[in-house]
Amino acid sequence: MRHTKVKDLLNSTTTLHEVNAKGWVRTFRNNQFIALNDGSTINNIQCVVDFENTPDETLRRVTTGAAVSVTGTLVESKGAGQKFEIQVTKLEILGDSDAEKFPMQPKKHSLEFLRENAHLRVRTNAFGAIMRVRSVLSFAVHSYFQEKGFVYVNTPIITGSDAEGAGEMFKVTALPFDGTPRTEDGKVNYKEDFFGKETNLTVSGQLEGETFAMALGQIYTFGPTFRAENSNTSRHLAEFWMIEPEVAFNDLNDNMDLAEDFIQYVIKYALDKCSEDLKFLEGRLLEEEKSKPQAERSEMALLDKLNFVLENNFKRVSYTEAIDILRDSTPNKKKKFNYIINEWGADLQSEHERYLVEKHFKCPVILFDYPANIKAFYMRLNDNTEPGRETVRAMDILFPGIGEIVGGSQREERFDVLVEKMKALGIDEEELWWYLDTRRFGSAVHSGFGLGFERLVLFVTGMTNIRDVIPFPRTPMNAEF
Ligand code: ATP
Ligand code: MN
């Protein structure tokens, strides 16, 4: 007999004879009530065991974490909290779980403990919910772009270009450590390596993505990205997933419109499809925040916060306006910031971004037109900027509790300006010959952005550490599993 998903059983419209469910025991009460979960929903189905007619030997094996198969009748539940339950006629233990040793006890565990047990934490309510929401969000990403006619592009994971400059890279090599081939001047001779040149894991698919946008019009990537940055923060992973749309003929305003519309769409999608999981996560957050001082608690409950983002436009603010706000802010005057903002040109730290979003505007903010010298070489230089105050058509989207969620720009489409910029920064033109070809042949205005998928999942689930929204996090000194 084929088993039915718990979700479908709980959503049944009628009672049913002879159903079978398979899953893992969450709890077993009074030798009678099994709370069974199979991952299809946050909800358990209650299975009522006829303990008088079940051998003790079997009952003893119904322990938290055990895999079981129950067959019986789906009846209306007399107990509170569920519409249906299974009156069990046949109980089978599929896989035992030693109650003494199983780490996921039916009690509250710290997030740190759960991280060390990432292979089992997904059996908890919170992580089951987070991972279902993550899955739905990733489908929403494809759904949004596919509906709009974007082409999904798989940019390379092993890249031969190291000029992107988005972050520290992981080397990819097949050379031996002992007896590494060297050139005459003692450097590693990559000519003898697998690819005959130096290669790395990608930090961004943007440059390759641009070449595709200049043929297919609207493209997006959605893939793993690697950064060997040694920043042990709650917002950085060494391996994360990035979504990078790139659109020909879009200027910076179009780019901001796209990013805003996209983020609102995927959040709406999650609200529609994951209401039970999100409600659970909202409760989890409330509970967690009870132990925090009032000032650190969120002003809004999770679902209100998500709806707020849907219903309100993101506030668009130029870098120059932001600097003025920050310079005049109380924490700046009282020297509460670690980095005091004195003058135009300063790079914004996350403390400044969070002040703007959480204290000043109290809504998502899009900062644009940043100083040219704190941004990447490929960003479009603004026309008519004062000498010494050159700005580029860059935009960052800042979210409450998260900080930067999107970084994007209109790209420099003018060959001469781009080459001059590369020269000034010492970026090898030869190396990026293929990238420059997009500007040599049929160049046009185009724009795109990168959104860190885990930062989006953080926001939607109300979690606070990025290690808790990816199945098996990779961070400095941690690559278990
Ligand atoms: P940050 O300043 O937060 O380190 P960044 O400026 O390095 O970000 P970009 O290079 O613009 O970020 O990358 C685009 C997006 O990718 C960011 O807006 C963010 O959402 C995400 N992102 C960047 N680095 C990481 C990381 N190490 N882990 C997870 N997401 C990241
Ligand atoms: Mn970074």
Side-chain angles (χ1 to χ4, degrees):
M1 187 179 171
R2 180 94 202 119
H3 68 278
T4 308
K5 278 185 300 192
V6 168
K7 184 180 185 179
D8 295 337
L9 292 172
L10 292 172
N11 286 336
S12 176
T13 47
T14 60
T15 56
L16 296 165
H17 269 300
E18 279 279 299
V19 295
N20 174 250
K22 291 185 169 77
W24 295 270
V25 175
R26 282 292 171 79
T27 56
F28 186 37
R29 271 191 307 122
N30 299 348
N31 240 0
Q32 197 176 9
F33 303 107
I34 302 174
L36 188 73
N37 190 283
D38 70 351
S40 61
T41 155
I42 186 97
N43 300 309
N44 305 325
I45 193 157
Q46 172 157 290
C47 308
V48 186
V49 179
D50 177 5
F51 61 96
E52 280 163 353
N53 294 310
T54 309
D56 271 356
E57 164 59 14
T58 309
L59 291 175
R60 248 181 275 124
R61 293 169 65 198
V62 183
T63 52
T64 299
V68 300
S69 165
V70 296
T71 309
T73 319
L74 189 73
V75 298
E76 273 175 37
S77 177
K78 292 178 209 89
Q82 67 264 328
K83 197 168 145 216
F84 290 110
E85 61 189 24
I86 299 175
Q87 210 77 59
V88 181
T89 52
K90 188 173 160 212
L91 170 64
E92 229 182 308
I93 311 293
L94 303 175
D96 289 285
S97 170
D98 184 337
E100 303 281 291
K101 293 193 184 133
F102 184 55
M104 301 293 114
Q105 295 295 322
K107 63 160 200 179
K108 207 167 158 41
H109 293 291
S110 73
L111 291 168
E112 290 76 18
F113 173 81
L114 292 169
R115 252 168 247 150
E116 286 160 12
N117 290 281
H119 61 307
L120 294 174
R121 68 177 176 175
V122 67
R123 294 203 199 177
T124 64
N125 282 332
F127 282 87
I130 293 164
M131 294 307 156
R132 278 187 298 270
V133 171
R134 182 183 166 108
S135 163
V136 167
L137 278 171
S138 67
F139 194 78
V141 169
H142 287 292
S143 166
Y144 178 83
F145 289 119
Q146 295 288 331
E147 274 175 25
K148 287 203 154 7
F150 282 62
V151 177
Y152 177 39
V153 182
N154 301 118
T155 48
I157 289 169
I158 299 174
T159 67
S161 71
D162 63 355
E164 219 278 346
E168 300 289 315
M169 300 180 129
F170 288 102
K171 286 190 179 4
V172 174
T173 180
L175 289 176
F177 280 112
D178 298 326
T180 310
R182 301 274 168 183
T183 58
E184 271 166 25
D185 50 1
K187 294 197 179 119
V188 173
N189 187 1
Y190 287 103
K191 289 213 170 75
E192 290 190 28
D193 202 348
F194 189 91
F195 297 107
K197 63 179 296 198
E198 205 176 337
T199 49
N200 298 292
L201 290 179
T202 183
V203 292
S204 159
Q206 180 201 317
L207 302 190
E208 291 90 349
E210 280 185 54
T211 69
F212 267 54
M214 298 312 284
L216 299 169
Q218 325 175 81
I219 65 98
Y220 70 106
T221 73
F222 184 6
T225 311
F226 308 86
R227 296 192 185 177
E229 44 193 7
N230 205 351
S231 46
N232 236 320
T233 76
S234 57
R235 302 175 307 120
H236 289 92
L237 291 164
E239 175 180 292
F240 65 101
W241 288 67
M242 187 144 69
I243 297 143
E244 295 182 279
E246 190 71 38
V247 185
F249 317 116
N250 262 13
D251 65 14
L252 191 70
N253 286 320
D254 301 323
N255 202 30
M256 293 193 238
D257 291 344
L258 176 68
E260 187 169 338
D261 189 51
F262 166 64
I263 292 173
Q264 289 177 331
Y265 175 98
V266 295
I267 291 177
K268 171 101 178 27
Y269 197 98
L271 279 167
D272 290 346
K273 308 262 175 190
C274 305
S275 60
E276 287 185 328
D277 285 325
L278 291 176
K279 231 174 266 152
F280 175 85
L281 290 167
E282 171 171 274
R284 192 210 70 86
L285 185 60
L286 277 174
E287 199 55 41
E288 183 187 84
E289 291 196 331
K290 274 186 191 159
S291 62
K292 288 189 179 170
Q294 191 70 39
E296 285 171 35
R297 295 184 200 167
S298 336
E299 286 179 24
M300 278 185 237
L302 183 61
L303 294 179
D304 290 340
K305 197 177 69 171
L306 298 179
N307 279 304
F308 179 89
V309 171
L310 298 188
E311 287 154 16
N312 292 278
N313 291 332
F314 300 2
K315 179 83 186 160
R316 300 184 186 190
V317 186
S318 74
Y319 166 88
T320 303
E321 288 170 74
I323 285 291
D324 288 342
I325 293 166
L326 289 166
R327 204 190 287 143
D328 293 339
S329 70
T330 313
N332 203 54
K333 287 184 182 154
K334 292 198 169 160
K335 307 224 181 315
K336 287 266 158 47
F337 284 143
N338 290 323
Y339 295 87
I340 302 301
I341 299 283
N342 288 316
E343 50 197 310
W344 193 93
D347 203 352
L348 300 184
Q349 306 296 323
S350 89
E351 56 182 346
H352 308 125
E353 297 177 344
R354 296 190 64 162
Y355 174 83
L356 290 169
V357 176
E358 289 158 28
K359 299 282 182 303
H360 190 84
F361 291 109
K362 294 179 187 282
C363 72
V365 172
I366 311 185
L367 289 186
F368 63 92
D369 285 354
Y370 281 78
N373 59 9
I374 59 170
K375 286 288 181 185
F377 76 95
Y378 49 72
M379 297 185 178
R380 176 64 156 80
L381 195 63
N382 263 308
D383 304 320
N384 315 318
T385 48
E386 281 174 57
R389 274 208 174 201
E390 285 84 6
T391 56
V392 285
R393 304 245 71 194
M395 63 115 177
D396 279 1
I397 302 187
L398 315 177
F399 259 46
I402 308 288
E404 180 186 327
I405 192 165
V406 163
S409 65
Q410 183 175 321
R411 319 304 188 187
E412 183 56 74
E413 82 283 12
R414 298 163 298 179
F415 181 85
D416 296 341
V417 181
L418 186 59
V419 168
E420 203 175 303
K421 186 74 172 278
M422 287 169 67
K423 278 207 183 100
L425 294 173
I427 297 169
D428 193 358
E429 280 171 62
E430 304 281 290
E431 179 95 28
L432 285 184
W433 63 275
W434 52 274
Y435 183 65
L436 288 168
D437 268 0
T438 55
R439 275 63 169 179
R440 281 191 188 100
F441 308 113
S443 189
V445 164
H446 63 287
S447 303
F449 61 82
L451 176 139
F453 184 56
E454 284 74 20
R455 298 213 182 152
L456 174 72
V457 183
L458 266 183
F459 184 74
V460 174
T461 57
M463 299 301 290
T464 45
N465 192 317
I466 200 160
R467 294 166 178 80
D468 297 331
V469 297
I470 187 163
F472 299 102
R474 267 79 183 95
T475 51
M477 304 312 288
N478 175 40
E480 196 61 46
F481 310 105

